[in-house]
Amino acid sequence: MSVSLIRTLLLYIVIIAAVRLMGKRQISELQTSELVVTLLISDIAAIPMQNTGQPLVSGFLPIAVLVSCELIVSTLMMKSAKFRRFVCGKPIIVINNGKVDQSQMRRLRMSTEDLSEQLRQMDVFNLEDVAYAIVETNGKLSVLKKPDKLQPDNSMLGIVIPDNGIEAVIISDGEISEFSVSLCGLSREWIDGILQGQNIALEDVFIMTADKQRNYNIIKKEAVS
């Protein structure tokens, strides 16, 4: 029992390291090669987990080979557009200048219900509002609305909005995030001063957010009943 537990934990650590090496992506954003490697790694790792009589290296070695292959393929795709198109394909326009390209939809085996669903997920409920819709290589749909259907932004309205920078969580559940503090150009002394002025202890803070202009918001922890 203990042997199986240790083997599982070791493989778990190896798989996490392998996924980190391949880069940060959500499942829906995986390219073809990345998806294949992810599926193979999960299958390979399951074998030594279930069969304790099999050497653990028989699981480590194939995972290392697959990750190495993926890193090489990723590098080649960065260097060569032709190789990238060969592995991942290329974006396909399914709505071109307001007209649905039925031949491309048949090529993708994409139904009208699929198209409507993806448009609704992007807050587009009227097909006539779309100028261009492109199915990217990861399967996601990119949409450009017609000019008269776009919402006006501040530049169109002549409104100047001050740039306060990004708002970040600098305290989470009583712990200060040094990364967020640095991102906002703040300091530990400034945080201590704010908390002292509000008469709040650090461990009593549930969330504290702030930006570069030193605008902040504090949410205290609720009392546990």
Side-chain angles (χ1 to χ4, degrees), residues 38-59:
T38 302
L39 293 174
L40 288 174
I41 286 177
S42 63
D43 286 340
I44 291 170
I47 297 173
M49 283 185 190
Q50 296 171 352
N51 186 4
T52 56
Q54 186 171 356
L56 200 56
V57 70
S58 63

Side-chain angles (χ1 to χ4, degrees), residues 166-179:
I166 187 171
E167 182 184 71
V169 177
I170 59 175
I171 299 179
S172 175
D173 201 12
E175 293 187 5
I176 295 179
S177 170
E178 299 296 341
F179 172 78

Side-chain angles (χ1 to χ4, degrees), residues 47-71:
I47 297 173
M49 283 185 190
Q50 296 171 352
N51 186 4
T52 56
Q54 186 171 356
L56 200 56
V57 70
S58 63
F60 290 164
L61 186 59
I63 292 174
V65 171
L66 287 171
V67 172
S68 299
C69 289
E70 172 54 28
L71 293 176

Side-chain angles (χ1 to χ4, degrees), residues 24-37:
K24 295 182 178 179
R25 290 182 185 266
Q26 297 180 8
I27 295 298
S28 60
E29 297 174 343
L30 292 177
Q31 297 290 355
T32 305
S33 60
E34 296 169 332
L35 179 60
V36 170
V37 170

Side-chain angles (χ1 to χ4, degrees), residues 94-95 100 105 110-135 140-145:
V94 293
I95 299 180
V100 177
M105 289 187 62
M110 186 180 194
S111 67
T112 55
E113 288 80 6
D114 294 333
L115 178 61
S116 299
E117 180 181 349
Q118 293 197 48
L119 288 174
R120 288 195 298 271
Q121 290 175 351
M122 303 188 70
D123 294 329
V124 178
F125 291 85
N126 193 335
L127 191 61
E128 295 180 354
D129 294 349
V130 181
Y132 294 92
I134 304 172
V135 178
K140 284 192 170 183
L141 189 71
S142 299
V143 174
L144 175 65
K145 291 183 178 180

Side-chain angles (χ1 to χ4, degrees), residues 131-196:
Y132 294 92
I134 304 172
V135 178
E136 306 293 352
T137 55
N138 60 7
K140 284 192 170 183
L141 189 71
S142 299
V143 174
L144 175 65
K145 291 183 178 180
K146 294 178 180 178
D148 59 333
K149 299 299 181 180
L150 293 172
Q151 292 184 353
D153 56 25
N154 294 322
S155 62
M156 296 177 182
L157 299 174
I159 301 174
V160 178
I161 303 296
D163 182 11
N164 293 329
I166 187 171
E167 182 184 71
V169 177
I170 59 175
I171 299 179
S172 175
D173 201 12
E175 293 187 5
I176 295 179
S177 170
E178 299 296 341
F179 172 78
S180 297
V181 171
S182 175
L183 181 66
C184 295
L186 305 175
S187 65
R188 178 66 182 264
E189 290 74 20
W190 178 81
I191 296 173
D192 291 339
I194 294 296
L195 294 180
Q196 289 176 6

